[in-house]
Amino acid sequence: MEEICASIASQFVEEPVALIGRQLSYLIYYDSNIEILKDALKKLDDKKNDVQRSVDAAKRNGATIKDQVQSWLKDVSKIFREAEELQTKLNVQTWCPSLKSRYSLSRKAKKIAERVLDLKLDEELSNNVANPAHLQQLGLIISSKGFKGFESRKAVMNDVLSALRNEKTRIIGICGMGGVGKTTMVREIIKRLEGTSQLFDDVVMSTVSATVSIRTIQAEIAEPLGMKLDEAPKSVRARKLHERIKQSKKILIILDDVWSELKLQDVGIPFADHEGCKILLTSRNEEVCKVMGCKDDIFGVQALNKEEAWELFRATVGESLDNNPDLSHVAKLIVDECKGLPIAIITVGKALLPSNGKHEWNTALHELKNSLPENIPGMKPEVYSCIKLSYDKLDSDEVKSCFLLCCLFPEDYDIPIEYLVRYGLGRATFRNTNTVEDVRNKVHSFVGQLKRRYLLLDSHKEECIKMHDIVRDVAISIASKDPHRFMVRSFDAEGGGGGRPGVQKVTNQEHCSAISLIDVKLDENITDGLECPKLELLQLKNSSSSSEYSNHFKRMKELKVLSFLEVNMSSYLASEKSLLLGEPKYLHTLCLEDCNLGDISHVIGGLENLEILSFARSQINKLPREIGHLHKLRMLDATDCDGLEEIPHGVLSNLRRLEELYMAESFLNWGPATGSKDETSMASLDEVMSLSDHLNVLAIKIHDVQMLRNDKFLLKSQPIRFHVSINISWSYKKESFKNRMHAYLFEKSLMLRGDVKEYLEIGAVRYFLKQSEDLVLFYTYNLKYVIEELDGQGGFQHLKVLSIMCDDNIEYLMNGMNWTPRGQPAFPILKSATFKNVHKLKFVCCGKLLDKRSFTNLRSIKIDSCDELKYVFSLSVTQNLVQLKSLKVKNCAKVEEIISKERMEDDNASHRISFPRLTFLELHFLPKLRGFYTGNQRDSTYEF
């Protein structure tokens, strides 16, 4: 109190009454000031979240965020950091803090609250956070790779572009047979629009396909517009989407692959009452375009003429064909059989090599002439025969099986490659594989081969692939015959029609080896019960069953793979007498993913030969004890089961053959390693570590590092592949690491939060640190001790990717003045480094004595929102950055130079700065930047 009084007295002379009142008010209104601040921060947080969502959506569209908005968000972040520091001080106070503390905390709270009130963002900026995206960027996202500027295409494309520029034209159709290149043309049109960025404010695209899903179309339109539609009824989603589209003054909506009339109002497209909305659709049926409202603006895409077809074939096969006159004649006959269809030309061209010889080419020609399509609606014989030939030319039965598995999924579906791994393993498709990892490597190799043959396509989703709908039709036709006998049935689950005409009752299934039912409501109108004595694989996706009719599956004695995806399992699991699995003696793979699961103990109990068990992303609160009886289990996947709260003690330790365990973003209630065990005890991390004899892959989340303190962690001669996060809450991960979980191909990855020095005392964490290839440090401190400790042991010898986020005390990544590598470079193979919100960072790399090999492999550096950073590299370090390809420095208020002469060993050293491989440089919002490098400018030279 004396100190406070002294402070007041020192200013008393100036404003005696007002000053005393203001100073004493901090004591009197202590509680009130704290509450006012909390309310103000809550409102600010809501506002920040709204603005951030708009910013994220704009970035997805490739737009540039306005400087005022970025500055506002940065000021908000600073206020929240100060508020967190204040909250920390409040937390450490006793229930009765001293008068000095009350005065100080109350004053700080009031000052922060005043700054919050002053921190306003103009309402217009709140609603319009970015400059419009250039269509050039959209053109890069939606690739038109493979498009050729053939004369037969130019006229059509120019007519479509003219129609798009015509204000009176509202809906435009592009028609042509399957495989002629309609979608490729649309993507090229988008790219051509890049020079007229004022034509449309937004361009969105959705693939409709034969089996219409209104929800999918709504989601594909909403996402690039910054909307995230919830699970409300379709009509509610349509109303929300309708209002959002009307906010765009000029918008182009592309509906690709439309098979039948699509009612725009059902989707939420305000075509009738929004003159700024234009529709561009593609279809194989001109009548569909007319029904949708196209009148004079329907443009047909024809097949390539002979010259164009030959040019595309030569480009696909390679110029070496020109040097082989023996093949020229038969090659031209083969091209003639393709009838000018690009998809046919490309698939055949990828299947044939000039090195194969004339006899093989003649055989291919014979097969093309004699291969007949099955009853596939709209399928041309030449297209079928071309794709069938490409399939026949695949290297092995294994890769053919891998290809056919892809047809089990819906049209235009992003097929997770991991499903091919698990289905193939369950059916024992792949030879000479000892581990699940061996199978995964082989499948990814096969997928690469199929993509090179253009039988599969890249997906925008990680670790997924797509199958062109024409290729899928041929694959289903091939798979439906001996020896495969696949049956794939898709139905319009939304009751809107639009699906392909076909048999509505699942029949003739007794000889099937694989059945896939998609969007099916299983009742007596679909099936009277599947009797499948030869069935090896059954997949149900997004299907349901009436509770009184759950006994659909009979006599499945040979079943090896059962997969329920996005299924409400309540009706299937209602009775312990359910014949869900028939006779599960041979079941090897069971996937219950994205499902609502109840008690599954009676389902699991008898699966004595099960090897793969997955509940990924399903609603399940307890793993049954019966899992511990699956002594042949090789993989257990509970990824993203955020409701999983119970794993009984002993379940995991009994799985002695387990090779892969996935628990990322899942179970957290790990029990203690020691102490008495009873029926209520939870699984401990010691159980996981005891599996090291066979364990090859581990993805796990740990909320308390002390759980790893037990020294029973066994090191293997062959290190495991791991993704371990320690003390990272879901909210932190969702905000900062949403793109960091790399599905099932993650490298050795470690994510830490908190006191890193404490982690070093635990053997398991030291092991993970030393083996890490991808290291994320989030809100950590005492990082210097880690660098020094591991530096003495050779540094981070395996680290490829380093990310440091929200660190308040690190000053250098490497400082050769203090941390000198001892015999080996500290980061010998580091390829990427990211620093975000590292508030005390002064230099990234600044040492004189750094080993010259430390950063020779560095390819990418990203620095964002590092408040104290003035320089990125010292000049001596830049001499070794010969592999650097990408450098991004943004939102750093104090950066003066990218390269600094500070800490140079020799003032006479060369000032030559060379980045021979740099292809991307972004310097953004650096208000104090004086130059890239300003030291000894007269002698400096740059090479980029």
Side-chain angles (χ1 to χ4, degrees), residues 518-540:
I518 303 162
D519 295 326
V520 174
K521 181 174 175 58
L522 292 173
D523 55 32
E524 58 272 16
N525 295 320
I526 297 296
T527 172
D528 293 323
L530 296 176
E531 295 208 17
C532 314
K534 297 182 180 180
L535 191 66
E536 294 184 354
L537 184 152
L538 174 62
Q539 173 181 275
L540 270 71

Side-chain angles (χ1 to χ4, degrees), residues 207-211 213 216 220 257 405-420 423 455-461 463-469 472 490 516 518-519 539-542 563-567 593-594 617:
T207 301
V208 179
S209 75
T211 305
S213 170
T216 300
E220 289 179 346
D257 195 23
L405 284 173
C406 296
C407 78
L408 297 173
F409 297 88
E411 283 186 4
D412 197 48
Y413 189 71
D414 296 292
I415 304 167
I417 300 173
E418 188 66 17
Y419 285 150
L420 309 183
Y423 293 2
L455 290 172
L456 293 179
L457 304 172
D458 283 318
S459 165
H460 70 283
K461 292 187 177 180
E463 293 188 31
C464 291
I465 39 89
K466 302 190 82 160
M467 182 177 259
H468 191 288
D469 53 355
R472 179 177 179 269
S490 298
S516 176
I518 303 162
D519 295 326
Q539 173 181 275
L540 270 71
K541 185 178 189 310
N542 196 23
S563 180
F564 280 29
L565 310 176
E566 301 176 59
V567 176
E593 301 190 357
D594 297 287
R617 300 169 304 280

Side-chain angles (χ1 to χ4, degrees), residues 214-215 218 232-242 265-268:
I214 297 295
R215 286 182 172 273
Q218 290 172 330
K234 295 193 297 293
S235 59
V236 177
R237 291 158 60 96
R239 186 169 65 251
K240 292 180 179 179
L241 188 59
H242 181 281
Q265 64 269 26
D266 291 348
V267 178

